[in-house]
Amino acid sequence: MADGRKQEFAVVGKSVPRVDGPPKVTGTPIYTVDMERPGMLHAAILRSTVPHGRIRRVDKSRAEQAEGVVLVVTGEDLKTMPGIDPYFGPAFRDQAILAIDKVRYIGDPIAAVVATRRELAYEALDLIDVEYEELPPVLDPVEAARPGSPLVHEQLRPAKAFADLAEIEPGKATNVCYHFKLRRGDVEQGFAQSAHVFEDWYYSPPAQHMMMEPHAALAWVDSDGVLTVITGSQSPSYVKGSLGAIFGLPQNKVRVMVPLVGGAYGGKLYDKLEPLASLLTFMARRPVKIQLTREEVFITITKHGVVSHVRTGVSQDGKILARKVEVYWDTGAYADIAPRVVHKSGYTSAGAYRVPNIWIDSYCVYTNKPPAGAFRGFGVPQVVWALESQMDMIAEKLGRDPLQFRLENVLLEGDLFATGTPVHSAGLKESLEAVAREIKWEPGVRKAVKPGTKSGVARAKGVACGIKAVITPSISGAIVVMNNDASVNVLTSTVEMGQGSDTALSQIAAEELGVRLQDVRVMHPDTAVTPYDTITAGSRSTYHMGNAIRLAAQEVKRQLFETASDRLEVDPDQLVARDGRIFVAEAPTRGLPIPEVFQARFGARGATLQGQAVFKTYAAPMDHETGQSEKVTEYWFPGATAAEVEVDLETGKVRVVKLVEACDVGRAINPHHCEQQIIGSALISLGQTLFEQMILENGELLNPTLLDYKVLTLKDVPESAVPIVIEVPHKDGPFGAKGVGETGTLSVSAAIGNAVYRATGVRVKELPITPEKVLRGLRAGQ
Amino acid sequence: MGFDLLEPRTVAEAVELHARDGNAVFLAGGTALLILQRQGLPLPRRLISLRGIPGLDEITAGPGGGLRIGALATLRQVERHPLVVRRVPLLAEALRQVANVRVRHTATLGGNLAHGDYRLDPPAPLLVLGAQVRAVGIGGEREIALAAFFRGLFETALQPGEVVTELAIPPTPPSGGTYLKYALSSNDWPCVGAAALVALDDHGRCREVRLALTAVAAAPVLVRGLDELARGEPVSDRLAARLADIAAAQVEPVGDQRGSEWYKREMARVFARRALLAAARRAEAGPVGDGTKEPVA
């Protein structure tokens, strides 16, 4: 389809190599962990050893005397510091820089030691004595949601930091910090009319982001009193605002800079180490750096463990009539961004299908465990695991082919979503059909592939799909600066964390300005210079920042055309910019190279032209009781997975032979990079499907190292892993683009779970799908 | 976190240093020590490094086809050494499956055994090869059969202050061997590891069957009593299954995150059988070991 149209573009739609590729493979970029300042000190954090307790006493006197120690600070000290509000958090200001009065999980920061060397800071931690009065720990999210449970937080303060979270108000005396509700149609009547009703519990365990670069921040106060923080953060604009609020500083006295980031996946959003690093540099009057160990990263932020109950009613002819979903999000000790996770994945909890009667309750529940927040896919993979496992169970009961059953029910252009929002640019059907084609789907109710061809091994294929919505409303600002040699600086607060934004945004700027890709340089966030951006997360940068850059570049182009039209004596609207020239569209030889336009306009060496733009999306207000909204999101991310697995019937071990992932990206700005994002996110999910999980006992993490927490390695990658780019252009996307960073995470677990069932008859409802669970199922079925 | 690193030049000096400070710890490759430290166990203030002692990593031919492997030889050195590849390919095959190549370049064979961790791969092939550990302490030198070396969880026959200096592998009868590592993901400790060595007579009947299992008890298990059943019997699925039942009865798994007690016992049975059959197939195809044709070095 797009072949003809793609010819129009010079840079967009082409698989150009990454602009940050050569420096990265030659090891030249400087990340936050590499940064140093003259006179820099190092900090280490003392953490709670009990899941829930009152702090009776912290004795830091011995640590203060230790070698190299400059200062030791505790939560008690924070209480009496003038001008500091020690609480932070994007949804609730529920987390103190250092625990005040109470600790809420094993790992909760209690005190910080600043020393001349990092090892000395860590060594001095052992010299701090803490006395606790232990409280009963709150561990199970379903229990914790019940009235009468011990409370993790006695009071809560909404943060009001984001428009989409403005409605959040905590209930009184409860661990449920947010309750999302959606009501559509009459769900009980729907069940009454159903020929079959299915009801199942599913579980998805907490997991790790496992970014290569651990959390790190380096803070100092410069000579004119500006608090300056270098941090590997996905949300520099937010951090600037948050530090201003904590320390009572005007926003131009806070400067947050983000260099290249060594991976994030949602684990480096909002406040992490920045408030503590800032506090310590104010106290020490010297630069202070904090860098977490891997063991500390494990307990700093996690992917939510989720318990879901799904009840679905269907007619005999395979229409979904009613769906009631109850989801418990184990958000740990601090809410972080969890209410937004629960909201966003809450309203997609009825799935990617036409369902007339829907009832959703999604509970965000505090427990005494490490905090959970954003993770690539933002909660949707946990919900899709439940929904799409059950879809296959329904199809089997109805005697239907699971692919066909999905295709008949899946949302199409213009259909109403659970929220009442019409669906646009949602290539669900296209994605399902694409993966089915690639895996050579053989229709059938339950079909093991070539059973018995290899003894003791069963083989089968499975399929699943999912849909996610982009965070709405949100804001991206961009400044485009063109130099008089036609080279360009793009100023944005988008963070390059490995996802390829420097390349995609360069392509968009180059296309709009008619210059070469190598003429564009995307600058990294520096809040003293780069404009506001909500976050680099949620697959939003290509669309939002892409649009902002396009608009800003158009402003630069307008000025170029203004000058060129004088010189060429044509109307500006007859001009085009391409190949570094401004020329008359109808007469391409009549034109000027961009440097000559600058010469004509300024006659000065080093002159620049600027354009700036803010791109903002809107959502129609959502009804609190029913979750209905005419426009709940700016755009949708649909994706589908097909997997072929081989199960060893003696061990229960699952080997994924082939994994196919298709995602609708709107328009691929860079097709090859889209493929890499699709397969990368599918593989992150594959690891979480087969073996990744944080194992907690009484609030204590039992596997806080890479020895015992196993992530996918290259050797675990299927022989065949195929990404498919689906393009259903979005009317308002830059060149039709949407986003692609998370879509591949949505349905991998369910597709594999479904394939394992089709191969063995064993339905695993609790991730990960370990060999032991499969073997127990096989034995139970004998 | 600070510590003193002592670097003796001879084994005698190393042992002497330990006699002076009983809390000091011998350091070989350091991969296990580093893990313990990262898990929060305090490092000893004094480490006696064995790495500077000349000759402790040599691999040489032993009498009549056996091998001598210096305790400080890295797993990678052993895995790639031509003598090992030729005479005990089973050992090379097992070492190839340990951790990853970076760890194998650092970890030493002697350190691996002295660590006494129940989940390690190398003990299984070395047990079926009948390896002998040479240890030196303040009282002198002694040899310990590997079968008597592992005593329990992180517990070996080594006395405090004794250091492993060498591993002797006696000549093996013409046989087929294999090591099967069963792990839940590709870069992990085993859920179960099974090493088997099968020697056949001229009629294809079992002459000798050896089997060792790792990660299924507090210490690696050399399975006893297989020859009584197997000797003189032709190799068959049924025989292998009966031998595997014997093996499963001798393991005492401790449930860990790689499998519950039940699962590990089941897997011990499965991989004992598979390893025995694979070793027997190799023995049929072309045995290696003492008396078989060996390329001239």
Side-chain angles (χ1 to χ4, degrees), chain A residues 651-724:
Chain A
T651 65
K653 188 168 178 178
V654 176
R655 193 168 75 88
V656 178
V657 181
K658 181 164 182 165
L659 185 65
V660 186
E661 180 66 40
C663 303
D664 172 14
V665 305
R667 158 66 61 90
I669 300 294
N670 187 317
H672 180 57
H673 294 181
C674 287
E675 288 176 354
Q676 290 180 317
Q677 282 291 304
I678 291 168
I679 211 64
S681 44
L683 292 177
I684 217 172
S685 268
L686 177 61
Q688 295 182 349
T689 304
L690 296 180
F691 33 76
E692 276 190 52
Q693 60 177 326
M694 293 175 68
I695 303 169
L696 289 130
E697 204 174 276
N698 297 322
E700 186 183 1
L701 181 62
L702 300 183
N703 57 338
T705 70
L706 283 161
L707 281 172
D708 288 323
Y709 181 96
K710 302 319 291 187
V711 289
L712 192 88
T713 69
L714 266 183
K715 287 181 178 174
D716 298 301
V717 172
E719 292 146 41
S720 173
V722 185
I724 300 174

Side-chain angles (χ1 to χ4, degrees), chain A residues 119 122-123 294-295 648 650-651 653 691 695 703 707-708 710 713 715-716 771-772 775-776 779, chain B residues 1-2 35 38 182-189 257-260 262-263 266-267 270-271 273-274:
Chain A
E119 313 85 80
Y122 273 92
E123 250 175 56
R294 179 60 61 187
E295 290 78 358
D648 183 324
E650 281 189 328
T651 65
K653 188 168 178 178
F691 33 76
I695 303 169
N703 57 338
L707 281 172
D708 288 323
K710 302 319 291 187
T713 69
K715 287 181 178 174
D716 298 301
E772 181 160 353
L775 189 68
R776 281 185 192 278
R779 294 284 171 90
Chain B
M1 276 176 216
I35 291 169
R38 289 295 294 264
Y182 176 58
L184 306 193
S185 70
S186 66
N187 188 8
D188 196 6
W189 277 315
Q257 63 185 67
R258 288 155 185 92
S260 67
W262 169 80
Y263 186 70
E266 292 301 305
M267 291 307 101
V270 169
F271 286 91
R273 197 192 75 237
R274 290 183 182 182

Side-chain angles (χ1 to χ4, degrees), chain A residues 286-304:
Chain A
R286 282 167 69 177
V288 174
K289 183 175 179 181
I290 316 177
Q291 179 179 327
L292 297 186
T293 63
R294 179 60 61 187
E295 290 78 358
E296 290 180 290
V297 174
F298 266 94
I299 47 175
T300 294
I301 191 74
T302 68
K303 174 191 179 190
H304 279 91

Side-chain angles (χ1 to χ4, degrees), chain A residues 318-336:
Chain A
K319 286 195 177 59
I320 304 172
L321 299 181
R323 186 160 252 182
K324 189 170 183 177
V325 186
E326 199 183 331
V327 191
Y328 294 85
W329 300 81
D330 187 347
T331 205
Y334 300 104
D336 199 89

